[in-house]
Amino acid sequence: MEKRVFFKGWLLPLLLIAPQILVSAVFFFYPAGQAVWQSLFIPDPFGLSMQYVGLGNFKYLLSDPYYRASFFTTGLFSILVTLVSMIPALFLAIVADRLIKGAGTYRTLLIWPYAVAPAIAGVLWLFMFNTRVGVVSWYLGNLGYDWNHVLNGSEAMGLVVVSSAWGRISYNFLFFFAALQSVPKSIIEAAAIDGARFWRRFWTIVLPLLSPTTFFLLVVNVVYAFFETFGVIHTITSGGPQQSTTILVYKVFADGFVGQDLGSSAAQSVILLVVVGALTVFQFKYIERRVHY
Amino acid sequence: MTLPTSKPQKNPVAGMVEKRGLGIWLSHAIMVLGVLIVFFPIWLAFVASTVTQPEIVSPPMPLLPGDQFFINYKKALLAGVNVPVGTMLTNSLVMAIGIAVGKIIISLLSAFAIVYFRFPGKKIFFWLIFITLMLPVEVRIVPTYEIIAGFGMLNSYSGLIFPLIASATATFLFRQFFMTVPDELAEAARVDGAKPLRFFWDILIPMSRTNIAALFVILFIYGWNQYLWPLLITTDPEMNTIVMGIKQMFPSGDDVADWPVIMATSILAMIPPVIVVISMQKLFIRGLVDSEK
């Protein structure tokens, strides 16, 4: 895709593009290169010298049960966040799509949580489930269920999943709702005339037409769960109990800034870079196809 | 939910597919329930910000607002816990606006250079910008932190803003839009002897107004909701942003958190992005759908 008309000169465009390239170089490429470089070394405890270890950091990481556990935790967390945020959103979007009046009002109300930062969402949910003052945990206690996410790993996982998925319900709802609204009414009506009832129409017509949006949201939500949920984890569990909610991004932070294990943290950054790269390529490949739809 | 379709059509505009009677009431009921559930955490935070500490620490806390609204919010804004929330709000505002405006400016310039000029290295620069899509700040925190520390930009606005300012997304959005601008406009400008920057300023920028506004909404929220980066580089409470500052308001150890003030702060932290999203809803949805495509 190119323009037919160009302005003359080469100095001006270089000057125009310079700010972005400069910022990218200083704050993106240099740090990324540093991460790759540092991942090959182990600094001594005083930070005075660095010992070259080749792929030693990576080998160590991949054999480290905690790191493997963190991979598993991240996978489970991403799948759960994606499901918990997409299924209710799709359901609400289908219901809202059936309405002629009021759908706009519901949409306005449902957008709210999207604007709430993940870290704030964490605080709100922590407040509800706080073991001492939380309303929900209090009522659960009355029902005979002893809620304690500070000690119970599964409950901690459940809480960070729901807190992370909460704001995403709004986001997914917006996309599903827009997609549903663009399904041609004539097709639905034709199916209705042929006697197809609601669920049959949904499975055979609407859902296939939604598939591009669904795949897109799957990728975007997984990326979100991987990289943007740090605030939720940090405010609610700080990765605990017993690392049961330590996702990869949290571990980079915990090892690099809290544990001061720079070589390992850098190696983890490099592994994450590869993961983001793969996800981005996947996303773009997929979006290429989406254009034809 | 299928109703007999033999009834005469009351509202032909509505289409013929099950949009009346019992089904519609049920749909409304589901939507209202959905909105209530999604809203509950925010409501509870608001209630908590209007009652006294003793009312919260002896569960269950009330579910209707109390009369401490002004007292709690005044205490939060002027005193806070470590630092007045008013200060944190200002920091967040500077950071969010700085990131949004900065990103828009450098992206407009570089997109203009890429679309309207031919210059040496254009392809390489294009790919360099493209690759930054794959480098979220979360995966390069340690080296980026070292750079900021090296520049002496810890605890400063520039340290908060610059590492988050380079954005491939915004550049691609503007590039896409510039591509749709008719070539005749640039042609005419050239024939009239207008300088490229004159064309950029007098024609391209005014034409991009809606895109700029939509992007501003998205980027403002992105900047406002940042958590990990401010957490790393603002060790001075005076420089904390509100989203990351809330976690710092929780006491360490066994002290009881000042819940009314903390919850008032979390309400204050969500008000600006919510106002931006709700008041610019149409632009926001458009920006969201466009920037993710």
Side-chain angles (χ1 to χ4, degrees):
Chain A
M1 212 166 49
E2 285 266 296
K3 284 254 171 207
R4 283 183 295 108
V5 186
F6 290 98
F7 288 106
K8 290 199 192 74
W10 55 268
L11 185 63
L12 182 64
L14 285 180
L15 286 176
L16 290 172
I17 208 171
Q20 176 143 25
I21 294 294
L22 206 67
V23 174
S24 307
V26 175
F27 297 109
F28 282 70
F29 293 113
Y30 180 73
Q34 275 297 102
V36 174
W37 180 249
Q38 284 174 355
S39 71
L40 303 174
F41 293 88
I42 295 180
D44 73 46
F46 306 104
L48 298 174
S49 67
M50 306 245 284
Q51 193 197 344
Y52 179 78
V53 290
L55 295 178
N57 282 322
F58 292 95
K59 274 186 200 141
Y60 177 75
L61 271 179
L62 295 178
S63 64
D64 177 11
Y66 282 118
Y67 192 64
R68 288 196 199 171
S70 175
F71 247 102
F72 175 76
T73 306
T74 311
L76 179 69
F77 175 73
S78 315
I79 293 170
L80 289 176
V81 168
T82 306
L83 290 180
V84 174
S85 63
M86 281 178 72
I87 292 172
L90 178 59
F91 177 71
L92 288 176
I94 292 168
V95 176
D97 185 49
R98 289 160 58 87
L99 299 171
I100 300 142
K101 286 189 195 133
T105 315
Y106 294 126
R107 192 179 66 179
T108 305
L109 291 170
L110 281 171
I111 286 181
W112 272 57
Y114 173 76
V116 178
I120 306 292
V123 172
L124 299 189
W125 285 83
L126 178 65
F127 180 59
M128 292 199 294
F129 283 89
N130 186 285
T131 45
R132 253 186 274 173
V133 304
V135 172
V136 180
S137 56
W138 189 84
Y139 281 108
L140 283 176
N142 270 13
L143 293 173
Y145 187 89
D146 189 15
W147 175 273
N148 194 337
H149 64 266
V150 182
L151 299 176
N152 183 320
S154 323
E155 287 173 6
M157 179 55 102
L159 188 55
V160 289
V161 165
V162 173
S163 317
S164 308
W166 177 61
R168 295 306 276 191
I169 293 179
S170 320
Y171 180 91
N172 296 335
F173 174 82
L174 288 178
F175 276 86
F176 276 133
F177 186 67
L180 283 168
Q181 296 268 297
S182 68
V183 171
K185 295 284 172 279
S186 53
I187 303 182
I188 305 283
E189 288 172 4
I193 291 171
D194 286 349
R197 301 210 163 183
F198 179 78
W199 282 111
R200 187 167 171 78
R201 291 199 308 267
F202 180 73
W203 283 112
T204 54
I205 300 171
V206 179
L207 204 60
L209 284 174
L210 280 186
S211 65
T213 308
T214 311
F215 280 123
F216 164 76
L217 287 177
L218 273 177
V219 177
V220 174
N221 283 310
V222 168
V223 172
Y224 163 81
F226 259 73
F227 298 105
E228 287 165 48
T229 49
F230 177 88
V232 177
I233 308 272
H234 193 245
T235 47
I236 299 185
T237 65
S238 296
Q242 276 102 46
Q243 305 222 13
S244 58
T245 52
T246 301
I247 60 169
L248 292 169
V249 167
Y250 192 83
K251 200 163 162 57
V252 174
F253 164 81
D255 289 352
F257 280 89
V258 185
Q260 293 286 323
D261 185 354
L262 293 183
S264 169
S265 171
Q268 292 179 32
S269 292
V270 173
I271 292 175
L272 276 180
L273 281 180
V274 175
V275 174
V276 194
L279 282 171
T280 314
V281 169
F282 183 74
Q283 190 177 348
F284 269 81
K285 274 237 159 104
Y286 156 66
I287 283 164
E288 292 283 297
R289 267 188 286 135
R290 178 183 154 86
V291 174
H292 301 293
Y293 152 74
Chain B
M1 226 23 68
T2 314
L3 296 164
T5 40
S6 54
K7 275 195 209 164
Q9 193 74 37
K10 274 182 198 158
N11 181 359
V13 189
M16 56 192 295
V17 184
E18 296 146 5
K19 296 219 171 176
R20 59 188 183 277
L22 191 63
I24 210 141
W25 286 112
L26 190 70
S27 300
H28 276 293
I30 293 173
M31 289 311 290
V32 169
L33 194 67
V35 167
L36 286 181
I37 292 173
V38 167
F39 244 80
F40 185 68
I42 300 177
W43 173 252
L44 208 62
F46 176 70
V47 171
S49 72
T50 61
V51 297
T52 59
Q53 173 81 342
E55 283 179 272
I56 292 178
V57 293
S58 56
M61 61 169 275
L63 295 177
L64 291 173
D67 54 3
Q68 304 290 305
F69 179 89
F70 288 105
I71 294 170
N72 290 334
Y73 280 81
K74 197 176 156 198
K75 187 176 170 205
L77 278 171
L78 300 180
V81 174
N82 305 309
V83 65
V85 174
T87 309
M88 300 201 288
L89 275 172
T90 316
N91 294 338
S92 283
L93 208 61
V94 172
M95 181 182 179
I97 292 178
I99 289 175
V101 172
K103 272 194 181 200
I104 287 172
I105 291 174
I106 65 171
S107 304
L108 273 171
L109 294 177
S110 59
F112 178 55
I114 285 174
V115 172
Y116 280 97
F117 289 89
R118 272 183 286 214
F119 55 94
K122 177 168 157 175
K123 271 248 153 65
I124 297 171
F125 286 133
F126 182 76
W127 280 102
L128 283 179
I129 294 172
F130 181 79
I131 289 174
T132 56
L133 268 182
M134 301 183 191
L135 301 171
V137 73
E138 281 76 9
V139 306
R140 52 191 164 86
I141 47 172
V142 177
T144 313
Y145 175 85
E146 286 166 357
I147 291 174
I148 292 296
F151 286 164
M153 298 203 310
L154 297 179
N155 291 314
S156 75
Y157 287 133
S158 47
L160 282 172
I161 294 170
F162 278 110
L164 302 173
I165 223 173
S167 158
T169 337
T171 310
F172 283 112
L173 196 66
F174 286 129
R175 174 180 169 268
Q176 239 171 330
F177 174 69
F178 290 169
M179 284 297 192
T180 66
V181 173
D183 284 349
E184 286 74 15
L185 287 175
E187 188 76 62
R190 229 174 44 169
V191 170
D192 289 349
K195 292 262 173 3
L197 284 180
R198 174 125 225 123
F199 169 73
F200 178 65
W201 187 254
D202 284 350
I203 297 176
L204 223 43
I205 299 268
M207 285 182 80
S208 318
R209 263 193 322 236
T210 348
N211 287 299
I212 293 175
L215 208 55
F216 181 84
V217 179
I218 305 277
L219 295 176
F220 179 86
I221 291 169
Y222 166 82
W224 185 274
N225 289 352
Q226 283 299 317
Y227 183 79
L228 175 57
W229 188 242
L231 179 71
L232 295 181
I233 75 153
T234 63
T235 44
D236 176 3
E238 289 286 325
M239 287 303 295
N240 285 357
T241 63
I242 188 163
V243 168
M244 60 80 56
I246 287 185
K247 164 87 175 173
Q248 318 294 320
M249 298 169 87
F250 286 95
S252 51
D254 276 345
D255 294 347
V256 178
D258 190 348
W259 288 107
V261 168
I262 292 178
M263 291 335 256
T265 309
S266 59
I267 293 288
L268 288 169
M270 68 179 87
I271 286 176
V274 165
I275 289 178
V276 169
V277 166
I278 302 288
S279 63
M280 298 170 97
Q281 197 185 142
K282 286 232 163 66
L283 270 178
F284 162 73
I285 290 171
R286 190 180 144 180
L288 199 64
V289 175
D290 281 354
S291 67
E292 298 286 5
K293 252 190 224 161

